Amino acid sequence: MKLSRALPLAGIAALGASAAQAETITVATVNNNDMVIMQSLTDVFEQAHPDIELDWVVLEENVLRQRLTTDIATGGGQFDVMTIGTYEVPIWAERDWLTPLDDLPEEYRVDDLLQSVRKGLSHDGTLHALPFYAESSMMYYRQDLFDAAGIEMPEQPTWQQVRDWAEQLHDPANQTYGICLRGKPGWGENMAFVSTLVNTFGGRWFDMDWQPQIDSPAWQEAIAFYVDLLGNYGPPGASSNGFNENQALFSRGNCAMWVDATSAAGRIYDASQSQVADKLGFAPAPIAETPKGSHWLWSWALAIPASSDAKEAAREFITWATSQEYVELVAEEKGWTSVPPGTRESTYENPSYQEAAPFADFVLNAIQDADPTDSTLEPNPYVGVQFVGIPEFQSIGTQVGQMVAAALSGQRSVEQALQAAQRATQRTMDRAGYLD
């Protein structure tokens, strides 16, 4: 901020004193577009809260998760605000690692938060994180390419249809690939997508006795399908592409289809950020054997670790960044398609959002329809659609993700990859005491 030359010396001294007294809070977040927008609005928050300064740590998803998990488990206290999700919140809250958020101001309007999202971020009925944005998954496709090929999108596409369409539309000579899907290893990267694929092929991570099912016929069929589909009709180097990389490819027109997070819809429908904004169609995530678990439920949320020594300032920030007023601020600064989706009923009731976002009702229904308590064809003992809500899953999912990526890149056969994943998961579950 530049000081006016005419500002009295007393005023300058007062400003200096205020700056000296400001409390700095360190905010750790992921390098997704919505969080980059949040960081860009730092000045707005600091001007309204001159006693608080924000120090940002913005990291790639896998790195963020490693850093935060290490810090919270050791009580390191490096961060005052952590960007975590519906996987971590209940597990960390149960261990008293997070600050309960049970006395939020009335103007925050807790009841405006979508019930399914609120429930996922609670432990024993108390919120332990506030949702910044929430999402399910869906299919985006190039309507112009479908029309040119005479393909009509059904109300509920199947994975076999997707494979047929990918074969028809794959045109690598013109840098258009039949489909883009996550390949980068990580429990929240490739395995977020792969878990939903396995679910809809009739698979599950564990049976009711916590025995791993990763070498089951359903897993074999799902992963063989995935490797064949992405290997034949995906972009080069698919095993290195996560959410952000595929979003960039699709926005540039390099993918005929993309199945991923509903939270991307605002950006790829925004002509200032997407070259295909006027050529888009959308549909539910495809299904195979069963519709169960074919689309996920996730929320990126802001939490205050118990180890923070600036809890009140952190609370001021997270209530601001997840408020209805923040949504309206983003709409004013960046446009309605850029507001954080999936968290507040008032967003979806707003006529301006409805007009700007043709996908709004579709996304809301997908979020509300995803059921973490009933996500597989056969019964399972865990909560979660694209993850398993146990502490061990972070390492299990990452390890299995690396093996699936090895199959995708041709370093292992599908059978070898899944057998190794089964053995590794069995050892982890045995050591953790789940197996008799």
Side-chain angles (χ1 to χ4, degrees):
M1 183 178 71
K2 293 182 179 178
L3 296 175
S4 166
R5 293 179 184 275
L7 194 65
L9 289 177
I12 295 175
L15 280 171
S18 174
Q21 293 166 6
E23 187 169 23
T24 299
I25 60 171
T26 303
V27 181
T29 196
V30 67
N31 64 341
N32 291 351
N33 190 70
D34 290 287
M35 283 68 174
V36 173
I37 290 175
M38 176 171 59
Q39 184 186 14
S40 76
L41 296 172
T42 294
D43 287 349
V44 178
F45 174 79
E46 290 181 344
Q47 285 166 15
H49 303 82
D51 55 337
I52 303 173
E53 291 183 354
L54 303 179
D55 178 32
W56 292 90
V57 178
V58 183
L59 300 166
E60 186 270 332
E61 186 169 325
N62 289 338
V63 177
L64 175 80
R65 287 184 160 129
Q66 286 180 329
R67 287 273 302 274
L68 297 189
T69 301
T70 300
D71 188 72
I72 198 88
T74 60
Q78 280 185 278
F79 309 107
D80 301 297
V81 174
M82 291 181 164
T83 304
I84 58 177
T86 42
Y87 166 71
E88 295 95 346
V89 171
I91 295 172
W92 292 4
E94 188 177 9
R95 285 156 179 72
D96 297 322
W97 290 350
L98 301 177
T99 303
L101 303 170
D102 51 3
D103 55 351
L104 296 169
E106 186 178 341
E107 59 269 22
Y108 183 74
R109 298 185 61 203
V110 172
D111 290 344
D112 188 41
L113 300 175
L114 295 178
Q115 187 175 5
S116 59
V117 175
R118 202 164 69 227
K119 184 178 178 182
L121 298 175
S122 297
H123 173 64
D124 285 345
T126 298
L127 276 165
H128 282 72
L130 301 181
F132 184 67
Y133 74 77
E135 64 186 30
S136 184
S137 51
M138 64 193 284
M139 184 163 83
Y140 305 97
Y141 64 96
R142 288 274 302 277
Q143 186 70 63
D144 58 329
L145 298 181
F146 270 60
D147 290 346
I151 303 169
E152 189 170 335
M153 178 62 69
E155 191 171 326
Q156 174 59 72
T158 68
W159 276 111
Q160 187 54 54
Q161 288 173 320
V162 167
R163 190 205 175 281
D164 294 342
W165 299 332
E167 184 178 11
Q168 280 182 261
L169 301 174
H170 190 56
D171 186 12
N174 290 304
Q175 295 190 312
T176 300
Y177 307 101
I179 192 161
C180 290
L181 298 169
R182 296 189 190 193
K184 180 190 290 186
W187 73 265
E189 276 282 10
N190 65 341
M191 294 315 295
F193 167 75
V194 167
S195 292
T196 62
L197 185 70
V198 168
N199 291 341
T200 194
F201 270 80
R204 54 187 171 165
W205 277 92
F206 301 98
D207 68 13
M208 292 300 290
D209 296 320
W210 290 105
Q211 288 287 346
Q213 301 294 296
I214 302 169
D215 61 353
S216 67
W219 269 83
Q220 296 276 356
E221 186 181 1
I223 304 306
F225 177 88
Y226 166 75
V227 167
D228 174 75
L229 176 66
L230 204 48
N232 286 321
Y233 310 117
S239 61
S240 299
N241 292 342
F243 170 75
N244 285 326
E245 293 82 3
N246 283 323
Q247 180 178 264
L249 282 168
F250 191 85
S251 296
R252 289 197 301 264
N254 298 126
C255 313
M257 292 176 283
W258 179 36
V259 180
D260 212 299
T262 57
S263 57
R267 290 179 288 285
I268 61 174
Y269 270 90
D270 182 348
S272 69
Q273 302 182 63
S274 169
Q275 296 174 31
V276 295
D278 59 344
K279 305 177 177 69
L280 283 178
F282 56 88
I287 63 171
E289 180 72 17
T290 175
K292 281 191 175 186
S294 62
H295 56 288
W296 67 63
L297 179 64
W298 180 257
S299 174
W300 277 117
L302 303 179
I304 304 169
S307 55
S308 169
D309 58 4
K311 292 185 179 66
E312 284 308 311
R315 185 186 296 260
E316 282 289 325
F317 174 70
I318 69 171
T319 52
W320 173 81
T322 61
S323 66
Q324 184 178 346
E325 289 69 28
Y326 177 85
V327 170
E328 291 165 357
L329 171 65
V330 175
E332 184 180 330
E333 296 283 330
K334 308 290 184 181
W336 275 103
T337 56
S338 295
V339 305
T343 60
R344 289 189 169 272
E345 291 179 9
S346 54
T347 302
Y348 290 87
E349 292 167 355
N350 191 303
S352 298
Y353 185 64
Q354 290 276 353
E355 183 180 350
F359 48 82
D361 288 339
F362 179 91
V363 169
L364 181 61
N365 291 336
I367 291 171
Q368 293 175 327
D369 185 50
D371 186 356
T373 65
D374 185 21
S375 60
T376 56
L377 185 60
E378 296 182 87
N380 72 64
Y382 51 86
V383 174
V385 181
Q386 81 282 23
F387 60 81
V388 176
I390 58 173
E392 295 76 15
F393 183 73
Q394 189 161 350
S395 61
I396 289 171
T398 296
Q399 196 168 25
V400 175
Q402 290 166 347
M403 294 170 187
V404 169
L408 180 60
S409 62
Q411 297 171 19
R412 293 187 181 203
S413 70
V414 169
E415 188 175 10
Q416 289 170 336
L418 295 185
Q419 285 175 350
Q422 173 77 8
R423 289 192 299 270
T425 304
Q426 188 103 27
R427 284 194 300 271
T428 300
M429 297 300 282
D430 199 18
R431 284 198 301 266
Y434 286 85
L435 306 177
D436 295 329

